[in-house]
């Protein structure tokens, strides 16, 4: 049986346009409210054999509110943004437009002095590949949206540039199944019922 890893994107800590690189602010009021509303749907994931989270305040709080009691995983931290830490994309662009352009265009670039996109994807993928695969175990991981995007790029063996084309909403779930080096994206939903003639 393949391993099943479900990522839950952490609830919001700021409005979308105010999101900051490598942000470690706690959940805002909207984030708390969203977790409370989503708890009924997400609570069953607490039955996973292993429960993890990113080290950020909002990821830990999201996991705790959902009853997961997650174990913090340093490998699930967001991308190290170096001197851009705490800035919005707009602020970084205003200060260093050529550097931001280089970073967006080249997955190996580190103009901010932090981690490259490629290194970030590899780190998250390395975490995914080293999960214990005991007969189809279930894992839940509450993580920053960027971490979920990196995991998907890695699992699908997609080009690093596809990272920018994945939209991960707060409290959304994404599941990959498989084992080290061989992952599949899984979509769960209600199957259509056959019609009776």
């Amino acid at each position: 049986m393949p391993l099943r890893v479900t990522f839950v994107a952490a609830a919001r800590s700021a409005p979308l346009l105010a999101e900051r690189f490598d942000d470690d602010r706690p959940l805002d009021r909207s984030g708390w409210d969203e977790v409370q509303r989503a708890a009924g749907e997400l609570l069953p994931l607490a039955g996973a054999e292993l429960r993890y989270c990113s080290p950020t305040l909002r990821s830990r709080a999201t996991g705790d509110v959902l009853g997961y009691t997650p174990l913090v995983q340093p490998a699930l931290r967001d991308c190290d943004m170096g001197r851009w830490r705490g800035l919005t994309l707009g602020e970084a662009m205003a200060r260093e437009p050529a550097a931001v352009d280089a970073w967006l265009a080249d997955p190996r670039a580190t103009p901010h002095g932090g981690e490259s996109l490629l290194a970030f994807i590899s780190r998250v993928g390395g975490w995914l590949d080293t999960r214990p695969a005991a007969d189809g175990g279930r894992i839940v991981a509450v993580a920053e949206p960027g971490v979920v995007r990196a995991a998907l790029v890695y699992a699908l063996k997609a080009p690093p540039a596809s990272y920018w084309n994945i939209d991960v909403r707060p409290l959304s779930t994404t599941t990959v199944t498989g084992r080290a080096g061989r992952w599949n994206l899984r979509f769960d939903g209600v199957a259509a019922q056959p019609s009776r003639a």
Side-chain angles (χ1 to χ4, degrees), residues 21-22 79-87 110-115:
F21 290 127
D22 207 6
C79 188
D80 177 358
M81 296 307 292
R83 70 176 172 277
W84 294 348
R85 185 174 197 268
L87 299 179
T110 58
H112 45 60
E115 187 175 28

Side-chain angles (χ1 to χ4, degrees), residues 84 89 92-94 96-107 109 111-112 164:
W84 294 348
L89 178 61
M93 184 65 91
E96 302 179 55
V100 172
D101 286 345
W103 174 66
L104 293 171
D106 181 0
H112 45 60
W164 306 116

Side-chain angles (χ1 to χ4, degrees), residues 20-23 54-56 58 74 76-81 115 120 123 144-147 163:
R20 299 183 175 281
F21 290 127
D22 207 6
D23 195 0
S54 295
T56 61
R58 74 180 187 166
L76 291 180
R77 70 190 179 284
D78 214 344
C79 188
D80 177 358
M81 296 307 292
E115 187 175 28
F120 174 49
R123 170 171 47 84
E144 297 303 308
V147 172
Y163 175 89

Side-chain angles (χ1 to χ4, degrees), residues 27-159:
L27 295 178
D28 65 8
R29 183 76 244 157
S30 294
W32 280 106
D33 293 344
E34 288 172 353
V35 174
Q36 296 297 325
R37 285 192 301 273
E41 287 182 45
L42 298 175
L43 192 56
L45 293 171
E49 289 87 358
L50 299 170
R51 297 170 306 278
Y52 301 113
C53 69
S54 295
T56 61
L57 294 173
R58 74 180 187 166
S59 292
R60 293 188 322 229
T62 299
D64 287 342
V65 170
L66 293 172
Y68 298 170
T69 317
L71 177 64
V72 172
Q73 297 285 282
L76 291 180
R77 70 190 179 284
D78 214 344
C79 188
D80 177 358
M81 296 307 292
R83 70 176 172 277
W84 294 348
R85 185 174 197 268
L87 299 179
T88 65
L89 178 61
E91 290 168 345
M93 184 65 91
R95 292 180 187 186
E96 302 179 55
V100 172
D101 286 345
W103 174 66
L104 293 171
D106 181 0
R108 290 180 172 81
T110 58
H112 45 60
E115 187 175 28
S116 72
L117 179 62
L118 194 57
F120 174 49
I121 292 168
S122 295
R123 170 171 47 84
V124 173
W127 177 86
L128 187 60
D129 279 349
T130 57
R131 293 310 86 209
D135 285 335
R138 293 176 306 143
I139 293 174
V140 65
V142 179
E144 297 303 308
V147 172
V148 178
R149 289 160 56 189
L152 288 174
V153 170
Y154 182 83
L156 296 174
K157 297 182 172 89

